[in-house]
Amino acid sequence: MIRHIFFLTILNIAVILPQTQKVSEVFILSPEAGVNIAFTDYSKNIPSFSSRLMLEYIFKRKSAMIYGSRLLYTGGILAGKDNSKEPYEFRTRYFSGGGGILFGYVYNESVIPYGYAGASYLFFNPADKNGTKLENNRNEVYKKGEMNILLEAGIRIRVSGSLLLNLNGVYNFNPNDRLDDIHTGSGNDKFISVNAGFSYMFGNIEDEDGDGIEDKWDKCPGTPKGIKTDSNGCPEDEDNDGVPDYLDECPGSPAEIEVSSKGCPLDTDEDGIPDYIDRCADTPKN
């Protein structure tokens, strides 16, 4: 599982695009790893590993507020110990899948505090530290699948282009008291996850003139639609005379020749012979 998260993180870094995308109408893929702290009928918590993979979609926004939806898969271990119980230590492997709603605030397109509320179906398998199923689990006293409620608070910080650093804390409430295999006391078992990872945005860039170059990097914003542009977003100019091809009435002008606003070589005396080959440049008119 650790290798899986590491691979996805490296993959995200490898495909970073140079542009900075606006957080609007985009998909966000986020692999994360973290630590679980379980609150069960065992007196002591043992921090344990967790991981998750999320896919989100951020709806079109008209202000700094963002709203979106999320699908997620999580997996990990919950653990605790208590010398007064038998066995004195438990380890519960779990995985879950679900979704919910995301909301947040975009500060300068670079810092995004956010919240999340959702639900997932949690499958769990209580065992001892050797991996042997605990007694009630082994005897199938209870169902090992339940709906889990999640509440999350976090922050995303833009690292570069489409890549964000993601830090968050998640409260997981499970409506049963069997994550540690036993049912005692009045409260249900629950756990908190603290996660860190990367978020990669894809699917949309801000490009008002529709030339395929993001506005932030477009050196010629406002190019008419349908006009062929170069890598800087400027209309192509094959003869390099400073007049874009779509306005150039004399394409193919020799290099370094002074031209008019229409892209044609200058003809100062208007005798029909362009200045660069006119040996009598001041011929009287007519």
Side-chain angles (χ1 to χ4, degrees):
M1 189 175 294
I2 295 176
R3 286 180 296 178
H4 178 67
I5 293 296
F6 178 77
F7 173 77
L8 286 174
T9 301
I10 295 300
L11 177 62
N12 279 350
I13 294 174
V15 297
I16 297 175
L17 298 178
Q19 70 265 20
T20 297
Q21 289 181 266
K22 184 176 180 180
V23 188
S24 176
E25 295 186 290
V26 292
F27 288 96
I28 302 178
L29 180 66
S30 305
E32 295 181 346
V35 176
N36 287 328
I37 301 294
F39 299 93
T40 69
D41 299 306
Y42 280 64
S43 60
K44 295 182 180 180
N45 302 314
I46 300 176
S48 52
F49 176 77
S50 68
S51 66
R52 63 180 188 167
L53 182 65
M54 303 178 295
L55 178 63
E56 300 163 335
Y57 180 74
I58 305 300
F59 302 117
K60 184 175 182 179
R61 82 173 208 253
K62 297 182 180 179
S63 68
M65 294 298 298
I66 60 170
Y67 300 93
S69 59
R70 173 191 290 179
L71 295 175
L72 78 160
Y73 166 83
T74 63
I77 297 172
L78 304 173
K81 61 183 179 178
D82 192 327
N83 293 332
S84 67
K85 292 179 170 56
E86 180 60 39
Y88 70 90
E89 184 175 324
F90 81 93
R91 293 173 64 84
T92 297
R93 293 185 178 274
Y94 74 90
F95 63 92
S96 66
I101 57 173
L102 182 79
F103 53 92
Y105 180 84
V106 179
Y107 178 74
N108 196 29
E109 299 297 333
S110 297
V111 179
I112 311 168
Y114 71 90
Y116 169 78
S120 63
Y121 199 82
L122 181 80
F123 297 91
F124 57 98
N125 187 27
D128 62 21
K129 64 179 182 179
N130 298 316
T132 303
K133 289 184 178 181
L134 296 181
E135 182 179 359
N136 292 322
N137 180 15
R138 188 167 57 249
N139 295 329
E140 299 184 352
V141 172
Y142 51 83
K143 185 173 64 172
K144 291 180 288 186
E146 294 281 355
M147 288 300 298
N148 194 45
I149 305 301
L150 297 88
L151 298 175
E152 176 181 337
I155 187 169
R156 282 175 166 142
I157 302 171
R158 193 183 296 274
V159 177
S160 175
S162 301
L163 189 70
L164 307 171
L165 173 66
N166 196 16
L167 305 171
N168 59 73
V170 186
Y171 176 81
N172 300 266
F173 172 75
N174 191 271
N176 71 57
D177 193 29
R178 295 289 191 176
L179 294 180
D180 56 4
D181 191 60
I182 59 177
H183 177 65
T184 61
S186 59
N188 292 327
D189 295 336
K190 57 189 73 69
F191 62 99
I192 292 175
S193 303
V194 178
N195 306 296
F198 290 97
S199 296
Y200 174 67
M201 298 191 301
F202 62 97
N204 183 40
I205 63 173
E206 196 75 3
D207 178 19
E208 290 189 4
D209 57 10
D211 60 1
I213 306 298
E214 191 193 1
D215 292 345
K216 179 173 179 145
W217 306 104
D218 196 334
K219 294 183 178 180
C220 299
T223 301
K225 290 186 178 180
I227 299 301
K228 192 174 182 181
T229 61
D230 60 20
S231 60
N232 293 317
C234 294
E236 288 196 345
D237 177 17
E238 290 188 3
D239 57 9
N240 296 313
D241 61 0
V243 180
D245 292 346
Y246 79 99
L247 296 175
D248 198 333
E249 295 183 3
C250 300
S253 298
E256 299 181 359
I257 296 300
E258 191 173 2
V259 298
S260 67
S261 60
K262 295 182 179 181
C264 294
L266 290 180
D267 177 17
T268 304
D269 57 10
E270 299 180 355
D271 61 359
I273 307 298
D275 292 350
Y276 76 97
I277 57 175
D278 194 337
R279 294 184 180 180
C280 301
D282 296 320
T283 300
K285 290 184 178 181
N286 300 321

